[in-house]
Amino acid sequence: MWASKRPGPPAGGPQKKLVIQGLKALPTLPSSYKDDTLSRLRNAVNAILGNQPTTQGLEELYRDCEAMCLHKFASSIYEMLQQEFEAYAHKQLSQIDKAQQVLEQTQQFWESYTRQLHMIRSVFMYLDRTYALQTTNVASLWAMGLSVVRQYLINSNMRIRLVRLFIDRVQNERDGQLVDEPMLASIAHMFIDLGLYTQTLLPNFIDATRDYYRRESLRLISSLVPLQTSTDGSAQSSRMMDVPGYLAHVQRRLDEETHRATQYLDPSIKTSLLSTALSELIEKHAEKLLGSSFDSMVDANLVPDLGRLYKLLAPVDKLNALRKSWSAYIKTTGQRKMQMPDAETALVSGLLEFRSKLDNIFEAAFQNDSKLHSALREAFEAFINTRRNKPAQLIARFVDQYMRVGSKTDDEQQVDDCLNRIVALFRFIQSKDLFEAYYRRDLSKRLLSTKTVSRDAESAFLHKLKAECGSGYTSQLEGMLRDMEVSEELTAALSQATVGPDMSDIGFHANILTTSFWPTYEPIQLTLPRQLEAAQEQFARFYVERHRGRNLQWQYNLGTCLIKVEFDDGPKELQMNQVQGTVLLLFAESDELTYTQVQQNTGLEDSELQRTLQSLACGKYRVLAKEPKSRDVSTTDKFVFNSGFKCPQARIKISQIVVKETEKESKDIEQHIHLDRMYRVDAALVRIMKARKTLDHDRLFSELSNQIDFNITMAEIKERIETLIERDYIRRDDSDQSTYHYIA
């Protein structure tokens, strides 16, 4: 427990009471207290504004302000401060307004004035935190100090002069002169603090920027010169500026404006400032820039400049104009390539290079823009199909040459890249069915003559075609490769079986070709040498035992052989086709034979025999001698084995005299494809009419176009419709000849 320490009543005496009485009169302030204190505070404010020391300490001044506020004189102090601020600002700014170095003196005034305001606010902090904060419609000391400056600038129109001078300094910097960036930053921040930035400085500055770049762009655009091939992106004289130079100049201007907005303007102005510059420098002249030099820039492969063009056009919503120029360039250049005199020999390689160039520009300069990619695809498809079937034939021929020779020196990655580029080109052609026919013919020749460089490359290309067109497109082609694999397996099995001496002596090998996969070949009549005939019969028995019910039809014109021949100069290995080998083997038994004797022993027709003898006796390697000597073979000629034949090579390939395929073979293929297309058109028309029952001609044509993947003319469609009408699949409407009805 707590014990009380209060003393008890005195012992032996009465208790005394403490009585507190009120004051007889209230204490009063001296009559001069308010005026004296205000005078001291006023003198201190003037000293601070004049950058002079105060007669009293700052703490003593703070106590005076606090005492005045406690005695209800806060409003008087506030009015005094407002009067002093107004007088000081009016005096200082009126003097600056009449001076020469207005911006520099305004900067000095503003930096000094804000420091003074900070000090005054610290002295009168009690006033600021009580009276200013708690009284309605009374601004803080800082805001009141700024408002007097703001009001003077508005009333005196000095702000207009400051804005004009500020803009002049910026334009001097744009013209290449050095300016005081810290000073401009101070003026800009003064406008921001005074609340005059968005109302006064910003709109006038943007308008001046727009006018400056409008005049500059008109001057530069009017003096542009054709593309300079030596353009390196460096600064150029305006008198010799081409479009890439102009674009580089615009980019420098944008970099300067970005630096300007960051260093001495408010960062929020950056977007509107760059937008204004781009509008005047790029947007209003986009069509002229594209029309004058875009084609030349792409021709010269100026990827950095094209990338700069893309980046400058994107913010001003002019990519649609770029897309049109891009598409027009591709179509024009592509059509020119398609119509070149040497298009037959160099078209595909030229188109591959052209596409690689465009892809590089698209990826590196145009940032894989989807709309520009669509324009590239549509333009490429438009010009490459102007010659209808020819591109399909030439691409197939290019693939054939590459698979035979071109891929020998390429590594795996290079082969894959080349095949990808070929497929990208193949994607644009509409005659894909015709390409398949030509490619199948060439593939068969490569496989049977073992002239393909890589079976893996063949498989890889078919895989790419399959991914592009589906499994139905490549089923026959893949079947051809499987046939070759099966034939190799069959040969391995045959070598392990018990075989007669005839087969082991001659190294017999047969390729089994599925008829439905391979092109159609006309068989020829040929009487084989005895040893070869025996090997053929032995193989046939072996095959039939393994595959019951299958029939073999021998295609002698597709076979090849390697014969070792003894000449006076030494032994040579002669590589030739089977027909040539059969003829040459006749001379193993007799050194001299007549044309008639050769024909009787081989059973060949005149045309085939004459080509074969011509290749052996009149070609580059003449292993037979002909009498009489001439370039052509006749039925009265005599042929002698040329034992004196000389050649430095140990193995010699003797090619057959080829009949020009050529036009007839190509016409046969195109005719076959044309008939197949017409059947597909007939089927599509019947399918559409069966579903719709009744359609007019335009809608029928529209739906047909969606169901076929090749070019067809209106005349061909009308012809197929007439055929279907004759065959009673459809009929015309009695009252409207352009309307058709399906006949169930």
Side-chain angles (χ1 to χ4, degrees), residues 78 85 121 128 132-133 137-147:
Y78 192 88
F85 287 163
R121 187 174 61 171
D128 205 24
L133 184 63
N137 297 327
V138 174
S140 66
L141 295 182
W142 176 259
M144 184 260 287
L146 297 183
S147 68

Side-chain angles (χ1 to χ4, degrees), residues 453-469:
V453 173
S454 169
R455 190 77 62 82
D456 291 337
E458 299 282 5
S459 299
F461 186 67
L462 290 186
H463 181 74
K464 297 178 188 298
L465 290 180
K466 184 176 181 179
E468 189 69 27
C469 302

Side-chain angles (χ1 to χ4, degrees), residues 206-207 209-210 213 271-281:
I206 293 297
D207 289 343
T209 300
R210 180 179 295 106
Y213 285 125
T271 301
S272 57
L273 188 61
L274 297 182
S275 176
T276 301
L278 279 171
S279 176
E280 296 298 329
L281 293 169

Side-chain angles (χ1 to χ4, degrees), residues 259-297:
H259 171 81
R260 196 166 288 121
T262 304
Q263 293 299 315
Y264 59 84
L265 294 171
D266 187 63
S268 63
I269 198 179
K270 176 182 175 181
T271 301
S272 57
L273 188 61
L274 297 182
S275 176
T276 301
L278 279 171
S279 176
E280 296 298 329
L281 293 169
I282 295 296
E283 182 179 10
K284 295 183 178 180
H285 307 288
E287 284 73 15
K288 184 170 184 179
L289 293 172
L290 291 169
S292 62
S293 294
F294 179 78
D295 290 1
S296 301
M297 291 169 67

Side-chain angles (χ1 to χ4, degrees), residues 555-595:
Q555 297 285 352
Y556 301 120
N557 54 332
L558 301 180
T560 59
C561 62
L562 184 64
I563 302 176
K564 186 174 182 180
V565 182
E566 290 288 343
F567 294 99
D568 295 343
D569 195 39
K572 303 290 183 184
E573 291 183 348
L574 304 182
Q575 184 178 352
M576 57 187 65
N577 68 25
Q578 188 173 347
V579 177
Q580 291 173 306
T582 300
V583 172
L584 185 61
L585 285 176
L586 296 178
F587 291 88
E589 300 177 358
S590 176
D591 288 342
E592 181 178 323
L593 292 171
T594 65
Y595 177 92

